[in-house]
Amino acid sequence: MSEAIRVTIWNENRHETREERVRAIYPQGIHGAIAEGISGDFVIRTATMDEPEQGLPEDVLDATDVLVWWGHIGHRDLSEELADRVAARVRQGMGLIALHSSHYSKPFKRLMGTSCSLLYRDVAEKERLWVTAPAHPIVAGIGPYFELPHEEMYGEFFDIPSPDEVVLTGWFEGGNVFRSGCTFTRGMGKIFYFQPGHQLYPTYYDSNVRRVISNAINWAAPVRRPALQFGKSVPALEPLSVEGE
Amino acid sequence: MSEAIRVTIWNENRHETREERVRAIYPQGIHGAIAEGISGDFVIRTATMDEPEQGLPEDVLDATDVLVWWGHIGHRDLSEELADRVAARVRQGMGLIALHSSHYSKPFKRLMGTSCSLLYRDVAEKERLWVTAPAHPIVAGIGPYFELPHEEMYGEFFDIPSPDEVVLTGWFEGGNVFRSGCTFTRGMGKIFYFQPGHQLYPTYYDSNVRRVISNAINWAAPVRRPALQFGKSVPALEPLSVEGE
Amino acid sequence: MSEAIRVTIWNENRHETREERVRAIYPQGIHGAIAEGISGDFVIRTATMDEPEQGLPEDVLDATDVLVWWGHIGHRDLSEELADRVAARVRQGMGLIALHSSHYSKPFKRLMGTSCSLLYRDVAEKERLWVTAPAHPIVAGIGPYFELPHEEMYGEFFDIPSPDEVVLTGWFEGGNVFRSGCTFTRGMGKIFYFQPGHQLYPTYYDSNVRRVISNAINWAAPVRRPALQFGKSVPALEPLSVEGE
Amino acid sequence: MSEAIRVTIWNENRHETREERVRAIYPQGIHGAIAEGISGDFVIRTATMDEPEQGLPEDVLDATDVLVWWGHIGHRDLSEELADRVAARVRQGMGLIALHSSHYSKPFKRLMGTSCSLLYRDVAEKERLWVTAPAHPIVAGIGPYFELPHEEMYGEFFDIPSPDEVVLTGWFEGGNVFRSGCTFTRGMGKIFYFQPGHQLYPTYYDSNVRRVISNAINWAAPVRRPALQFGKSVPALEPLSVEGE
């Protein structure tokens, strides 16, 4: 694992270009704030939805080990073809870090197989994220919990398949709980869903949030392995008592 | 749980109607053999792909607690709309028993989010299914293992998300292993994937296979509960230190 | 599953017999309140620590399908032999419902293999328990959440192995979260840990708490199955290419 | 993770010192063959049961990030105190790689909470280990399967709690299957159980086995993190509507 991890941070980049108050918080876009804030042996590229091929032509995906995704009001505009391609890449080994409202993005929903629905409330309330899997590398260096003074509430029931691990569990001032940091595996690919990051709060400048995302990228990098045999008929490896047809 | 479970057994019914040697084994169709073989407090209905609305109009789904599915060469002919509808019903609580080649059916793939690919070999070899979760109700009454003298080999790697439980693990004479009985939960719905059942072997007359399917139907019946709140903004349940917008 | 489930409710019965304010809440003991409050096709017996053989002689365990456990200040007084016996019974199929401070009981700790440590605070704060596995039979009939006006806070990190399912997640007024309802399997036995139930609050009179416990007893009842082969050398089931020794 | 991982390979070292035919295979002991065969940024030490304090005094454990364990006929001779100490260290973050017959070792059993029983047969039969979690770093560089020409059969039902992941599933010539490579988390510690390695076969010279053990050591190394709060009463983090006592 001595090679640099090639990270692509994809952002729909719509709130920032349309709303002054969002631009005031994220003048270089959410993707810019994340790119600046993560640290590790990473080669980082950013991509946005208004670029050619919605920012993710084949050659960019070819050169991506881990894809970070932020989407919200643009979910519907993502082409079905690109959604299929991203989901397929994850199954083939590309890591995916799905941030905040990306729970409703097309690639994430395809990979979950559920509605990914949840409760929400955007009143700038406090969230406290508790570590519920302290042995996991995604929370390396993180204390027993960390706080975000203002976040959008996302609340249970969160309609996802049972995660491999619930690394962080969120407490919200208004009375809700949420599985705020969850890992999944799909095929050869690792997925981390991370709830914080509403566009109206400076969440991606928070040092704990940045550390979690950095850790998650390291965790989600593809494992190097021989290609698997797949979807094909194979001869017997042992002598059989029956006659083949 | 004192009410009868309403079971719909859906079968594409193509091999039986097109191939003499399959019809010889399953003269009433695979659906007929299953309907005859399961036992419990069930109200059983069968449905096939050539019936109106491919056998599953809304009113049939409305009256189905658990759907048993067998498909193979007809996967592609299932309408996208029906595939979506069945997957949505499962998320809302309808149980699904996906049999054999149904690992590649549209509803199952939508619910898994993976390729559902695997290795296969059809040479009538022996399979021995070992119980690997003996506390599970799906293997009530089943010994440490049971054997099928002739089955199609399905082998790992089986590209599914990590199951909730691997209830049965298959050993194949030709040298392969398979997670032959797996449980999943998607939303309010329970899913059991069960590998045996190639059309050329009399698998659905086997008493252990019939018992497993009967147990699985009991396990997958919907839990009666109040509707969940979903996908909506909700007011705070507690006083907040911030002002809402 | 048409036979009645034989339930034994075991309680150390110390707070009730030593503290007036606890006796005022639970005049028949916590065991009495639970026995009165659960409903189902149950044959219920209660047992307490000051009875002969600490309330659980072999013949009582022989006649127990599901054991409900409440302990706190008496944990250390439970004999090592009885702790071993109860843990062994669970592995052989007896269900266990471990309530509240029983997270630190000897049988539960033996079955978990971890410290079972947690954070706590007893200031009568409000708890809201959110359903995080709505398809699970343990929350049949329970709404999206339920509230307890006064409970002891138990908070993460709760040092348990990853549960099979986290059925309920607790939100506490003072800022903590907890995996308040968790399922585990050990051998042939099913275990449910349920956090509510401090001796100073009338928790076991709450209708939701009673329903959850009733559901859990139904879920944890042993699956009837042939005895498994165990811990022994077995002959080959297939012809071998090697010579045995 | 740029620091070297401090690995201690512990071996009871009894077969090798007592049986000529085992010494012929492992002249430097099983621990010696493993020490020689693993590769990575490791600082390796070996320890055996006949050394002072059974090879694991406090200062050795203090200097161990990952402990590799091989035991069989000496299980009973391990002191209860050392068994407790090793299990406690794992819960505090030390990685544990439990090899072959170590499924019955005192530390492993304490950490599992189950009987860890299984079926076995020692007739030098062939085992084929299939990768059933290809995204896991423990099988980096490993093909779809690998074979061992001669191994002791270990067969299901293996009485362990549901593993976090079943990374490798074994097929045995004599008709059995086994969860041959399993991961667990206990507290802050990661555990890998790996079935191959009977003393009569040169398993620890196999390149795939060595690679899996090397990968597992990297995976099990402790995550660096602030100490967790544990087992104590904590003040409220939020204002309460009730009065504390």
Side-chain angles (χ1 to χ4, degrees):
Chain A
M1 202 64 76
S2 55
E3 294 164 57
I5 298 171
R6 298 166 301 168
V7 180
T8 300
I9 303 171
W10 186 93
N11 180 16
E12 63 172 42
N13 197 33
R14 298 217 159 159
H15 291 287
E16 302 93 320
T17 52
R18 296 176 182 183
E19 296 171 58
E20 184 52 49
R21 57 181 187 165
V22 178
R23 189 161 46 241
I25 299 168
Y26 291 114
Q28 275 109 28
I30 284 172
H31 53 292
I34 294 170
E36 173 206 283
I38 56 177
S39 59
D41 188 7
F42 303 152
V43 175
I44 300 170
R45 157 196 324 242
T46 62
T48 61
M49 203 175 194
D50 291 329
E51 294 170 5
E53 300 192 47
Q54 300 194 309
L56 294 173
E58 287 282 3
D59 65 316
V60 170
L61 289 171
D62 284 343
T64 299
D65 292 319
V66 178
L67 181 63
V68 180
W69 193 277
W70 199 101
H72 184 209
I73 50 176
H75 288 331
R76 250 167 303 184
D77 298 336
L78 194 84
S79 80
E80 297 297 313
E81 192 201 338
L82 182 53
D84 285 339
R85 202 190 305 153
V86 168
R89 290 275 177 163
V90 172
R91 292 178 196 118
Q92 291 157 17
M94 184 179 72
L96 177 66
I97 316 297
L99 296 174
H100 189 60
S101 41
S102 305
H103 71 97
Y104 258 172
S105 66
K106 287 179 182 173
F108 187 73
K109 289 179 72 174
R110 272 164 168 75
L111 291 160
M112 293 297 106
T114 54
S115 74
C116 299
S117 185
L118 46 75
L119 300 181
Y120 59 95
R121 176 174 62 242
D122 189 18
V123 295
E125 71 199 272
K126 186 195 289 186
E127 178 179 8
R128 180 176 296 109
L129 295 104
W130 289 91
V131 170
T132 41
H136 203 286
I138 286 181
V139 285
I142 302 291
Y145 63 83
F146 65 95
E147 295 179 358
L148 297 172
H150 304 293
E151 251 304 335
E152 183 177 16
M153 187 285 287
Y154 274 15
E156 298 285 343
F157 175 64
F158 183 19
D159 184 19
I160 47 172
S162 194
D164 292 349
E165 299 201 55
V166 179
V167 179
L168 292 155
T169 302
W171 176 98
F172 287 93
E173 196 180 1
N176 299 75
V177 296
F178 197 65
R179 288 171 287 178
S180 294
C182 299
T183 68
F184 304 91
T185 308
R186 292 292 180 271
M188 260 68 68
K190 297 193 193 74
I191 301 167
F192 182 58
Y193 173 75
F194 191 35
Q195 161 267 322
H198 188 266
Q199 66 273 6
L200 285 176
Y201 314 115
T203 296
Y204 294 115
Y205 298 106
D206 180 87
S207 63
N208 283 301
V209 167
R210 288 173 159 193
R211 181 148 199 175
V212 166
I213 296 174
S214 301
N215 288 341
I217 291 169
N218 277 302
W219 168 80
V223 164
R224 304 295 169 195
R225 55 170 302 113
L228 286 171
Q229 300 172 295
F230 247 157
K232 66 176 199 181
S233 181
V234 290
L237 297 156
E238 300 291 331
L240 296 171
S241 60
V242 291
E243 298 288 313
E245 305 190 23
Chain B
M1 201 66 74
S2 55
E3 293 164 59
I5 299 171
R6 299 165 302 168
V7 181
T8 300
I9 303 170
W10 186 94
N11 181 16
E12 63 172 42
N13 197 32
R14 297 216 160 161
H15 292 287
E16 301 93 321
T17 52
R18 295 176 183 184
E19 296 170 58
E20 183 52 49
R21 58 181 186 165
V22 178
R23 188 160 46 241
I25 299 167
Y26 291 115
Q28 275 109 29
I30 284 173
H31 53 291
I34 295 170
E36 172 206 284
I38 57 177
S39 58
D41 188 8
F42 304 150
V43 175
I44 300 170
R45 161 198 318 245
T46 62
T48 60
M49 203 175 194
D50 291 328
E51 293 170 6
E53 300 192 45
Q54 301 195 309
L56 294 173
E58 287 282 3
D59 65 315
V60 170
L61 289 170
D62 284 345
T64 300
D65 292 317
V66 178
L67 180 63
V68 179
W69 193 276
W70 199 102
H72 184 212
I73 49 176
H75 288 331
R76 250 168 302 186
D77 298 337
L78 195 84
S79 80
E80 297 297 312
E81 192 201 338
L82 181 54
D84 285 338
R85 200 189 306 151
V86 169
R89 291 277 177 161
V90 173
R91 293 179 195 118
Q92 290 156 17
M94 182 179 73
L96 176 67
I97 315 297
L99 296 174
H100 189 59
S101 41
S102 305
H103 71 97
Y104 258 172
S105 66
K106 288 179 183 174
F108 186 72
K109 289 179 72 175
R110 274 164 167 73
L111 291 161
M112 294 294 107
T114 54
S115 74
C116 299
S117 186
L118 45 76
L119 300 181
Y120 59 94
R121 176 174 61 241
D122 188 19
V123 296
E125 72 199 271
K126 185 195 290 187
E127 178 179 8
R128 181 176 295 109
L129 296 103
W130 289 91
V131 171
T132 42
H136 204 286
I138 285 181
V139 284
I142 302 291
Y145 64 84
F146 65 94
E147 295 179 357
L148 298 172
H150 304 293
E151 250 305 336
E152 184 178 16
M153 187 283 290
Y154 274 14
E156 298 285 343
F157 175 63
F158 183 19
D159 185 18
I160 46 171
S162 194
D164 291 349
E165 299 202 55
V166 179
V167 179
L168 291 156
T169 302
W171 176 99
F172 286 94
E173 196 180 2
N176 299 76
V177 296
F178 197 65
R179 288 170 286 177
S180 295
C182 298
T183 67
F184 304 91
T185 309
R186 293 294 180 269
M188 260 68 68
K190 297 194 193 74
I191 301 167
F192 182 58
Y193 173 76
F194 191 34
Q195 161 267 323
H198 187 267
Q199 65 273 6
L200 285 176
Y201 314 116
T203 296
Y204 294 115
Y205 299 105
D206 179 88
S207 64
N208 284 300
V209 167
R210 289 174 158 191
R211 181 148 198 175
V212 166
I213 296 174
S214 301
N215 287 341
I217 291 168
N218 277 302
W219 168 81
V223 163
R224 304 296 169 195
R225 52 170 303 112
L228 285 171
Q229 299 170 297
F230 248 156
K232 67 174 198 182
S233 181
V234 289
L237 297 156
E238 301 292 330
L240 296 170
S241 60
V242 293
E243 299 286 313
E245 306 188 21
Chain C
M1 201 68 73
S2 55
E3 292 165 59
I5 298 171
R6 299 166 300 168
V7 181
T8 300
I9 303 171
W10 186 93
N11 181 16
E12 63 172 42
N13 198 31
R14 299 217 159 159
H15 291 288
E16 300 93 320
T17 52
R18 296 176 183 183
E19 296 171 58
E20 183 53 48
R21 58 181 186 165
V22 178
R23 189 161 46 242
I25 299 168
Y26 291 114
Q28 276 109 29
I30 284 173
H31 53 291
I34 296 170
E36 170 205 284
I38 57 177
S39 58
D41 188 8
F42 304 150
V43 175
I44 300 170
R45 157 196 325 242
T46 63
T48 61
M49 202 174 194
D50 291 328
E51 294 170 6
E53 301 192 47
Q54 300 196 309
L56 294 173
E58 288 283 3
D59 65 315
V60 170
L61 289 171
D62 284 344
T64 300
D65 292 318
V66 179
L67 180 63
V68 179
W69 193 276
W70 199 101
H72 184 211
I73 49 175
H75 289 331
R76 251 167 302 184
D77 298 337
L78 195 84
S79 79
E80 297 298 313
E81 192 201 339
L82 182 53
D84 285 339
R85 201 189 306 152
V86 169
R89 290 276 178 162
V90 172
R91 293 179 195 118
Q92 290 157 16
M94 182 179 73
L96 177 66
I97 315 298
L99 296 174
H100 189 59
S101 41
S102 305
H103 71 97
Y104 257 171
S105 66
K106 287 179 182 174
F108 186 72
K109 288 179 72 174
R110 274 163 167 74
L111 290 161
M112 294 294 107
T114 54
S115 74
C116 299
S117 186
L118 46 75
L119 300 181
Y120 59 95
R121 177 175 61 241
D122 189 18
V123 296
E125 72 198 274
K126 185 196 289 186
E127 178 179 9
R128 181 177 294 108
L129 296 103
W130 288 91
V131 170
T132 42
H136 203 286
I138 286 181
V139 285
I142 303 290
Y145 64 83
F146 65 94
E147 295 179 358
L148 298 172
H150 305 292
E151 250 306 334
E152 184 178 16
M153 187 284 290
Y154 274 13
E156 298 284 344
F157 175 64
F158 183 19
D159 184 20
I160 47 171
S162 194
D164 291 348
E165 300 202 55
V166 179
V167 179
L168 292 155
T169 302
W171 176 98
F172 286 93
E173 196 180 2
N176 299 75
V177 295
F178 197 65
R179 288 171 286 177
S180 295
C182 299
T183 67
F184 304 91
T185 309
R186 293 293 179 270
M188 260 68 67
K190 297 194 192 72
I191 302 168
F192 182 58
Y193 173 76
F194 191 35
Q195 161 267 323
H198 188 266
Q199 66 273 7
L200 285 176
Y201 315 115
T203 297
Y204 294 115
Y205 298 106
D206 179 88
S207 64
N208 284 301
V209 167
R210 289 173 158 193
R211 181 149 198 175
V212 167
I213 296 173
S214 301
N215 287 341
I217 291 168
N218 277 301
W219 168 80
V223 163
R224 303 297 169 196
R225 54 170 304 113
L228 285 171
Q229 299 171 294
F230 248 156
K232 67 175 198 181
S233 181
V234 290
L237 298 157
E238 300 292 330
L240 296 171
S241 59
V242 293
E243 299 287 314
E245 307 188 22
Chain D
M1 204 63 75
S2 55
E3 293 165 57
I5 298 171
R6 298 167 301 168
V7 180
T8 299
I9 302 170
W10 186 93
N11 180 16
E12 62 172 42
N13 198 32
R14 300 217 159 161
H15 291 287
E16 301 93 321
T17 52
R18 296 178 182 181
E19 295 171 59
E20 184 52 50
R21 58 182 186 165
V22 177
R23 189 161 46 240
I25 299 168
Y26 291 114
Q28 275 108 30
I30 283 172
H31 53 292
I34 295 170
E36 172 205 283
I38 57 178
S39 58
D41 189 7
F42 303 152
V43 175
I44 300 170
R45 159 197 321 244
T46 62
T48 61
M49 203 175 193
D50 292 328
E51 294 170 6
E53 300 193 47
Q54 301 194 309
L56 294 173
E58 288 282 3
D59 65 316
V60 170
L61 289 170
D62 284 344
T64 299
D65 293 317
V66 178
L67 181 63
V68 179
W69 192 276
W70 200 101
H72 184 210
I73 49 175
H75 289 331
R76 251 167 302 183
D77 298 335
L78 195 84
S79 79
E80 297 297 313
E81 192 201 339
L82 182 54
D84 285 340
R85 201 189 306 151
V86 169
R89 290 275 177 162
V90 172
R91 292 178 195 117
Q92 291 157 17
M94 183 179 72
L96 177 66
I97 315 298
L99 296 174
H100 189 60
S101 41
S102 305
H103 72 96
Y104 258 172
S105 66
K106 287 179 183 173
F108 186 73
K109 288 179 72 175
R110 273 163 167 75
L111 291 161
M112 293 296 106
T114 54
S115 74
C116 299
S117 185
L118 45 76
L119 300 181
Y120 59 95
R121 177 175 61 240
D122 188 18
V123 296
E125 71 199 273
K126 186 195 289 185
E127 178 179 9
R128 181 177 294 109
L129 296 103
W130 288 91
V131 171
T132 42
H136 203 286
I138 286 181
V139 284
I142 302 292
Y145 64 84
F146 65 94
E147 295 179 358
L148 298 172
H150 304 292
E151 251 304 336
E152 184 178 16
M153 187 284 288
Y154 274 14
E156 298 284 344
F157 174 64
F158 183 19
D159 184 19
I160 46 171
S162 194
D164 292 349
E165 300 201 56
V166 179
V167 179
L168 291 156
T169 302
W171 175 98
F172 287 93
E173 195 180 3
N176 299 75
V177 296
F178 197 65
R179 288 170 286 178
S180 295
C182 299
T183 68
F184 304 91
T185 308
R186 292 293 179 272
M188 260 66 70
K190 297 193 193 74
I191 301 168
F192 182 58
Y193 172 75
F194 190 36
Q195 161 268 322
H198 187 266
Q199 66 273 8
L200 285 176
Y201 314 116
T203 297
Y204 294 116
Y205 299 106
D206 180 87
S207 63
N208 283 301
V209 168
R210 289 174 158 193
R211 182 149 198 174
V212 166
I213 296 173
S214 301
N215 288 342
I217 291 168
N218 276 301
W219 168 80
V223 163
R224 304 293 170 197
R225 55 169 304 113
L228 286 171
Q229 299 171 295
F230 247 155
K232 66 176 199 181
S233 181
V234 290
L237 297 156
E238 301 291 330
L240 296 171
S241 60
V242 291
E243 298 288 314
E245 304 189 25

